[in-house]
Amino acid sequence: RNVSQDTLLKLYKHISLLIGLIRSDFNMAGKLLFFDVSDMYLYIHCTNVCLMSMMHGHIMSMDDNSLLNLGISAILHDAGRVAIDDDVYENSTDDYDREIYRSHVLKGKELLEPYKDIPMVAKTVALTHHEREDGSGYLYGIKGDKIHQFAKIVALSDYFESKRVPGYKQPVTKRTQILEQMAKQIHLYDSAMLKDFIRFVSALTL
């Protein structure tokens, strides 16, 4: 099979990014050599959430600068997961494990805080992407307009992707079933955003 010019161009761009990382932060580049299975799951999850969130932003007619900031916010939304044990998960029957899992939003904000080049909105999204429209989310129970638009967008992609590409202790769920579940939980999300999300995800070829 031949390699297309488009594929080569993408590879060159990818390698160029890695060169930049190696030159600017050699130690961080080294850390990328030691992905384990859980790291790879998190990487795939965050990449998929980033792409879906930016697609959502596109259909909302966001400009390029807004899409860039949304993409950065989405790719980093679960940064705090690296600071908690892989064995804890959101739906655990153990109260302590659930609290540990929920702490990832605060740990994510704290992890990103020192970096001045990371936009403030990305730090906000890391902290608030589990808040819900009706105030039933965590950590602070904020609702409605108090939740940043980007956090609302990321919340939709995050929920969908966590069901479609599940972790170790969750069953795989079909796309139609996930969207049906989300439609029944309209009180948790911005209704206009949820309708747009369901419409465009339903039409995707997955």
Side-chain angles (χ1 to χ4, degrees):
R1 180 181 292 183
N2 294 327
V3 178
S4 70
Q5 287 298 116
D6 182 59
T7 299
L8 283 173
L9 180 60
K10 289 175 181 176
L11 285 172
Y12 278 119
K13 287 182 177 179
H14 187 69
I15 296 301
S16 294
L17 288 173
L18 291 177
I19 290 171
L21 174 62
I22 290 168
R23 294 194 187 285
S24 65
D25 195 335
F26 193 80
N27 287 329
M28 179 57 71
K31 290 179 181 179
L32 296 180
L33 296 172
F34 302 105
F35 273 129
D36 62 23
V37 174
S38 60
D39 293 328
M40 189 55 67
Y41 163 73
L42 184 58
Y43 173 79
I44 293 169
H45 172 71
C46 290
T47 301
N48 288 344
V49 168
C50 176
L51 179 56
M52 291 188 74
S53 295
M54 293 178 73
M55 292 171 76
H56 195 167
H58 171 73
I59 67 170
M60 292 174 65
S61 301
M62 287 186 184
D63 59 32
D64 285 354
N65 188 60
S66 295
L67 275 182
L68 175 62
N69 284 312
L70 173 58
I72 293 170
S73 300
I75 200 81
L76 295 174
H77 79 282
D78 260 349
R81 291 278 296 276
V82 302
I84 64 172
D85 197 310
D86 291 337
D87 292 334
V88 301
Y89 56 104
E90 190 168 23
N91 298 320
S92 172
T93 56
D94 184 278
D95 292 343
Y96 180 71
D97 278 358
R98 286 200 306 275
E99 288 305 309
I100 293 295
Y101 181 88
R102 290 184 172 196
S103 73
H104 82 272
V105 298
L106 185 58
K107 292 182 183 299
K109 170 73 159 45
E110 292 172 348
L111 184 67
L112 300 178
E113 194 63 52
Y115 297 94
K116 303 302 180 186
D117 291 337
I118 295 176
M120 181 58 68
V121 66
K123 301 168 187 179
T124 298
V125 169
L127 182 64
T128 61
H129 66 278
H130 281 286
E131 301 290 354
R132 293 296 179 256
E133 195 73 11
D134 63 354
S136 63
Y138 60 86
L139 284 172
Y140 304 106
I142 59 176
K143 58 184 178 180
D145 292 341
K146 299 292 185 182
I147 307 172
H148 194 283
Q149 179 191 49
F150 286 5
K152 294 182 180 186
I153 292 171
V154 169
L156 290 164
S157 296
D158 180 46
Y159 179 85
F160 177 87
E161 195 58 25
S162 68
K163 296 294 184 182
R164 180 176 169 267
V165 185
Y168 315 112
K169 302 178 186 293
Q170 297 176 341
V172 176
T173 308
K174 293 181 179 179
R175 169 174 44 172
T176 52
Q177 292 176 311
I178 302 169
L179 295 178
E180 286 172 3
Q181 291 171 6
M182 296 176 77
K184 291 176 181 177
Q185 298 174 333
I186 194 168
H187 58 286
L188 299 180
Y189 306 104
D190 180 286
S191 58
M193 288 185 185
L194 177 58
K195 289 174 184 176
D196 282 343
F197 182 84
I198 290 174
R199 189 179 301 115
F200 94 81
V201 173
S202 296
L204 291 177
T205 302
L206 298 179

